[in-house]
């Protein structure tokens, strides 16, 4: 038997904790811990799982917060820093000890250094402002994620239809744009993953998943190798889709194929079966749909596989909706990862938007 502790952020003023028992397949709500407003995205420190970072997705001034993590996920607030803009929906910890945060509402990003103690922030860093789009449909820059790849920081921008390439110019916190990877006009790139030097991008406005070789620095683009829809077949009349998250758990002995999991959000007329998680496989550089798993959830903004928790966690994916009352659900990967089975649900809290599995 293994008990996994899971933390869950959301559009509230607290982060919740759950425990998942793999023997009984039960997901139990434990507690909630006060934070700043709207801790919609939470992450563990890259190497120290006793430290948690959370955005405060507030308008007009967002923030980044740090917490110590105790037994059963108990959180204690330590420090708060200005995010450098409005409505930060995402933060990412860097291997250098810095924390990157993007501001969706103001088209900005900031990389915040920490002291020798990664719980404490230094506030003297550059605010990167992205340009107003000259193409596409949004009319404003809308950065939505940070992703470290080598020494570069990649930021998908839904409004500019680009993935910005940032580099550190000198001292920690001093970053600037030094290139971009263009995406299809009007597609709205939202989140990315890179596996074996190939770039997988989930596009919110087009509800597509694309595949391309990762282009060499600085500005070189590579053609899309594969471009597929994430939308399930025969959706209800009045549906309106906005793809959100993409995950690629690393292969293991039990799950040798690196399946790609993409979350759909139907922001229009709901299907009574809820939104789907689309499961794809890269077969000869073509994205092939293996399953559309109906979840009963409403607008899956965030989901997370349990691989980050260590041994045994690779079998599971936790997910929740941004809307509705379906709560938090646990899914087990079946058929080697090509399918998902719902095995537990907890409805104490109706919605959650991001998750962290704590190491055992």
């Amino acid at each position: 038997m293994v008990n996994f502790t899971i933390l869950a952020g959301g559009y509230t003023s607290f982060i919740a904790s759950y425990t998942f028992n793999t023997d009984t397949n039960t997901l139990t709500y434990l507690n909630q811990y006060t934070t700043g407003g709207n801790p919609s995205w939470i992450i563990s420190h890259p190497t120290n799982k006793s430290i948690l970072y959370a955005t405060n997705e507030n308008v007009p001034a967002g923030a980044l917060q740090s917490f110590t993590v105790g037994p059963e996920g108990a959180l204690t607030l330590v420090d708060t820093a200005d995010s450098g803009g409005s409505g930060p929906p995402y933060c990412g910890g860097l291997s250098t000890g810095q924390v990157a945060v993007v501001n969706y509402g103001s088209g900005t990003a900031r990389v915040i250094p920490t002291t020798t103690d990664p719980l404490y922030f230094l506030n003297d860093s550059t605010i990167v402002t992205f340009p107003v789009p000259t193409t596409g449909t949004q009319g404003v820059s809308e950065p939505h994620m940070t992703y470290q790849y080598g020494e570069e920081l990649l930021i998908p921008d839904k409004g500019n239809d680009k993935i910005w390439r940032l580099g550190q110019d000198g001292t920690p916190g001093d970053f600037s744009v030094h290139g971009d990877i263009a995406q299809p006009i009007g597609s709205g790139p939202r989140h990315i993953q890179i596996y074996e030097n190939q770039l997988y991008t989930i596009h919110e406005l087009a509800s597509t998943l694309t595949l391309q070789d990762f282009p060499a620095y600085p500005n070189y683009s590579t053609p899309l190798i594969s471009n597929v829809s994430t939308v399930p077949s025969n959706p209800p009349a009045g549906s309106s889709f906005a793809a959100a998250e993409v995950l690629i758990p690393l292969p293991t002995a039990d799950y040798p194929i690196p399946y790609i999991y993409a979350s759909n959000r139907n922001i229009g007329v709901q299907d009574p079966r809820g939104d789907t998680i689309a499961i794809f496989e890269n077969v000869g550089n073509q994205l092939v749909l293996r399953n559309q798993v109906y979840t009963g959830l409403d607008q899956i903004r965030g989901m997370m596989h349990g691989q980050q928790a260590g041994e045994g966690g690779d079998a599971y994916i936790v997910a929740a909706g941004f809307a509705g009352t379906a709560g938090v659900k646990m899914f087990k990967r079946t058929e080697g990862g090509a399918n998902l089975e719902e095995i537990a649900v907890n409805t104490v809290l109706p919605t959650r938007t991001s998750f962290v599995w704590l190491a055992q």
Side-chain angles (χ1 to χ4, degrees):
M1 180 188 73
V2 177
N3 281 322
F4 290 107
T5 300
I6 299 168
L7 297 173
Y11 288 103
T12 53
S13 292
F14 61 83
I15 293 170
S17 60
Y18 297 82
T19 185
F20 171 57
N21 185 305
T22 61
D23 189 31
T24 60
N25 285 341
T26 53
L27 183 64
T28 304
Y29 170 82
L30 294 177
N31 212 330
Q32 63 187 50
Y33 302 96
T34 301
T35 66
N38 300 311
S40 62
W41 199 264
I42 61 175
I43 59 166
S44 285
H45 183 278
T47 58
N48 186 346
K49 303 306 179 184
S50 66
I51 295 175
L52 185 88
Y53 299 117
T55 61
N56 292 165
E57 196 178 338
N58 296 328
V59 175
L64 177 71
Q65 294 189 307
S66 65
F67 301 82
T68 57
V69 182
E72 295 189 331
L75 298 179
T76 301
L77 175 63
V78 176
D79 201 8
T80 301
D82 183 352
S83 71
S86 176
Y90 195 99
C91 62
L94 308 186
S95 61
T96 57
Q98 302 170 87
V99 185
V101 59
V102 289
N103 297 288
Y104 181 84
S106 56
T108 59
R110 188 182 185 200
V111 180
I112 302 174
T114 58
T115 68
T116 53
D117 183 342
L119 282 164
Y120 293 92
F121 302 120
L122 298 170
N123 282 301
D124 55 346
S125 58
T126 303
I127 295 174
V128 179
T129 300
F130 301 109
V132 174
T134 57
T135 59
T137 60
Q138 298 303 95
V140 293
S141 169
E142 294 174 327
H144 217 290
M145 184 194 192
T146 72
Y147 190 103
Q148 184 181 10
Y149 191 56
E151 295 184 355
E152 289 190 282
L153 183 62
L154 306 176
I155 296 182
D157 186 334
K158 189 181 82 172
N160 270 293
D161 294 315
K162 296 180 186 296
I163 299 170
W164 300 111
R165 308 177 77 151
L166 278 68
Q168 184 171 317
D169 294 328
T171 59
D174 185 13
F175 278 70
S176 65
V177 174
H178 62 209
D180 63 74
I181 306 170
Q183 298 298 300
I185 298 301
S187 64
R190 178 184 172 97
H191 282 194
I192 61 174
Q193 294 289 334
I194 298 176
Y195 180 73
E196 293 190 339
N197 207 44
Q198 290 190 304
L199 173 64
Y200 296 79
T201 305
I202 197 84
H203 300 267
E204 179 178 335
L205 300 181
S207 283
T208 54
L209 175 68
T210 62
L211 171 67
Q212 64 191 118
D213 292 327
F214 187 78
Y217 173 82
N219 286 303
Y220 304 106
S221 293
T222 53
L224 297 183
I225 302 170
S226 188
N227 185 351
V228 295
S229 174
T230 64
V231 176
S233 59
N234 302 314
S239 299
S240 178
F241 286 90
E245 181 63 294
V246 57
L247 303 175
I248 309 178
L250 296 176
T252 64
D254 292 330
Y255 301 94
I257 297 174
Y259 287 106
I260 305 106
Y261 301 84
S263 74
N264 282 297
R265 295 181 302 167
N266 182 355
I267 58 177
V269 176
Q270 287 290 303
D271 189 309
R273 297 169 293 180
D275 286 339
T276 67
I277 297 173
I279 305 174
F280 295 91
E281 182 182 356
N282 183 339
V283 180
N285 283 335
Q286 291 301 306
L287 296 171
V288 178
L289 179 68
R290 293 306 187 201
N291 263 307
Q292 287 276 10
V293 180
Y294 288 88
T295 64
L297 298 170
D298 185 348
Q299 300 180 41
I300 307 169
R301 182 182 185 268
M303 58 182 184
M304 182 55 68
H305 56 81
Q307 203 166 64
Q308 64 181 189
E311 185 176 355
D314 59 347
Y316 304 102
I317 290 178
V318 65
F322 160 80
T325 59
V328 177
K329 293 191 175 187
M330 186 66 64
F331 297 90
K332 186 170 186 179
R333 299 167 70 196
T334 61
E335 301 172 28
N339 208 345
L340 297 173
E341 174 190 3
E342 181 186 321
I343 58 171
V345 61
N346 186 286
T347 58
V348 171
L349 299 175
T351 63
R352 293 283 85 190
T353 58
S354 61
F355 299 94
V356 164
W357 293 70
L358 298 179
Q360 296 302 300

